[in-house]
Amino acid sequence: MRLYLFRTGTLVATGAPIACYLIQTDDGVNVLVDTGYPRARAGRYAPGSPEPIRVEAGEDVVSRLAEVGLAPQDVHMVVCSHLDPDHAGNHDAFPDAEFVIQREHHELALSGTVPRLEMTRSAWDRPELKYRRVQGDTELLAGIDLLETSGHIAGHQSLLVRLPDTGPVLLAVDAIPERAARNAETRPMYPFDVDEPATRAATARLMDLAEATGALVVHGHCAEQWPELTTGPAYYS
């Protein structure tokens, strides 16, 4: 099993990465986690631009996959951590994949009541996309567990990936977006965190799990951590 960490853009305000992840199982299943900021906006950022995220040409998720020899049709599953525009901007590039999402989050998104989820609705709400809706913690495949971590938004999910050499890796995504958010009691609440008690509970749960398993915690948007990680086209195994 391999785990690739891809930088698919940069938050202009903080320099933090926009991350997507690829898990390749022993039996050849390619699992993509999130699809990043819309590829159509690659190269459009310039000083003074209103774009909040900079995506360099060749940095989008489709280009990153090509660096490791994969085309969109080679992706079997896409795990949706949630449908914020920096996580779901390229769902339309993967019509052959099965999308796995928390039922609560999918229903919330389809309701049309959350403006931030509407920003890339044209990419994720398409008739050709096949969604499998799960409820709560779910074993996706051997060595890949989905963890329901509502708080940042209802139905957010993180992942625990158990690698043969590296050991467990916890992809916290936006439940713990940076190192400064590791302490459930003192962590900052970020502008898009919807439910403070649930966010703090999810943080505590994930950090307890990381301590119990010895997992490497990968934060969703941490400019400080990213240079210390092994990133694509290199991988964890």
Side-chain angles (χ1 to χ4, degrees):
M1 185 179 286
R2 295 178 176 182
L3 170 64
Y4 295 84
L5 314 182
F6 295 127
R7 187 185 197 114
T8 59
T10 302
L11 287 165
V12 175
T14 64
I18 303 299
C20 298
Y21 313 102
L22 173 69
I23 307 163
Q24 293 186 305
T25 69
D26 291 341
D27 54 356
V29 178
N30 293 314
V31 181
L32 181 65
V33 181
D34 290 342
T35 63
Y37 201 59
R39 63 196 181 282
R41 301 192 187 187
R44 287 176 53 181
Y45 174 78
S49 166
E51 289 280 350
I53 292 169
R54 181 176 70 248
V55 181
E56 303 289 358
E59 196 175 40
D60 63 278
V61 68
V62 173
S63 298
R64 291 303 196 198
L65 288 170
E67 292 177 354
V68 297
L70 296 180
Q73 59 266 30
D74 297 319
V75 174
H76 301 98
M77 295 181 185
V78 177
V79 173
C80 311
S81 69
H82 61 308
L83 297 174
D84 276 351
D86 55 330
H87 294 264
N90 297 293
H91 281 33
D92 59 314
F94 302 96
D96 299 322
E98 177 185 48
F99 289 78
V100 184
I101 194 168
Q102 288 287 325
R103 177 180 296 276
E104 180 182 20
H105 187 68
H106 197 217
E107 290 177 350
L108 174 66
L110 290 174
S111 74
T113 59
V114 184
R116 73 200 229 203
L117 303 183
E118 295 293 297
M119 293 175 66
T120 49
R121 185 164 190 152
S122 62
W124 59 258
D125 187 12
R126 303 176 69 89
E128 70 270 22
L129 300 186
K130 303 172 288 293
Y131 282 90
R132 175 171 26 132
R133 307 203 299 185
V134 299
Q135 290 185 266
D137 295 354
T138 302
E139 183 183 50
L140 181 67
L141 296 168
I144 307 174
D145 293 328
L146 307 180
L147 307 170
E148 194 276 336
T149 48
S150 291
H152 176 67
I153 195 167
H156 181 281
Q157 60 184 351
S158 306
L159 294 88
L160 183 66
V161 183
R162 295 180 175 86
L163 298 171
D165 299 321
T166 303
V169 179
L170 181 59
L171 303 177
V173 198
D174 284 0
I176 314 178
E178 57 183 0
R179 280 180 174 154
R182 281 180 173 237
N183 187 304
E185 295 182 1
T186 62
R187 61 161 287 163
M189 296 300 297
Y190 299 94
F192 293 106
D193 291 335
V194 171
D195 184 332
E196 180 171 348
T199 298
R200 296 194 187 282
T203 300
R205 180 190 178 212
L206 289 180
M207 291 309 300
D208 286 347
L209 178 62
E211 182 176 358
T213 61
L216 167 65
V217 180
V218 176
H219 302 289
H221 300 290
C222 190
E224 177 187 19
Q225 184 189 37
W226 193 258
E228 302 170 3
L229 297 170
T230 298
T231 56
Y235 56 85
Y236 291 96
S237 62

